[in-house]
Amino acid sequence: MCRLFGQISPRAESAEDFLVESEFSLLKQSNFKKDNLQKDGWGIAYFGNKGEPVVSKSPKPAFKDAKAFEAAARPESK
């Protein structure tokens, strides 16, 4: 099952807590149920400092590609 997260804000805000840090982050959900792992890839997109779209994605599950997922969740100097 796909898990989606969206954030809308009038100013730049980090989504790192929801994606990586919190108890129920998407990264932690991807590996939570050992008998029902998220086996599909992941993607993170946001608008950069100059308003340009930035996309990071991987065909690997988030828990198997955690370093890249975490790096994508911490975009451009906060």
Side-chain angles (χ1 to χ4, degrees):
M1 177 210 280
C2 291
R3 292 172 177 89
L4 299 174
F5 167 79
Q7 179 170 304
I8 298 172
S9 176
R11 62 187 179 286
E13 293 287 337
S14 174
E16 186 176 349
D17 187 49
F18 300 105
L19 297 173
V20 177
E21 300 298 332
S22 78
E23 180 181 356
F24 300 107
S25 70
L26 291 186
L27 180 58
K28 291 177 184 162
Q29 287 182 39
S30 73
N31 192 19
F32 180 73
K33 263 185 125 176
K34 304 300 181 199
D35 60 337
N36 189 22
L37 297 174
Q38 175 215 337
K39 298 175 185 166
D40 299 319
W42 59 268
I44 295 176
Y46 61 93
F47 290 102
N49 290 334
K50 296 178 180 158
E52 77 284 0
V54 178
V55 178
S56 299
K57 58 186 177 177
S58 172
K60 298 177 189 175
F63 69 92
K64 286 190 175 181
D65 200 17
K67 287 189 182 207
F69 185 89
E70 289 175 15
R74 296 180 178 103
E76 303 175 17
S77 59
K78 300 179 203 175

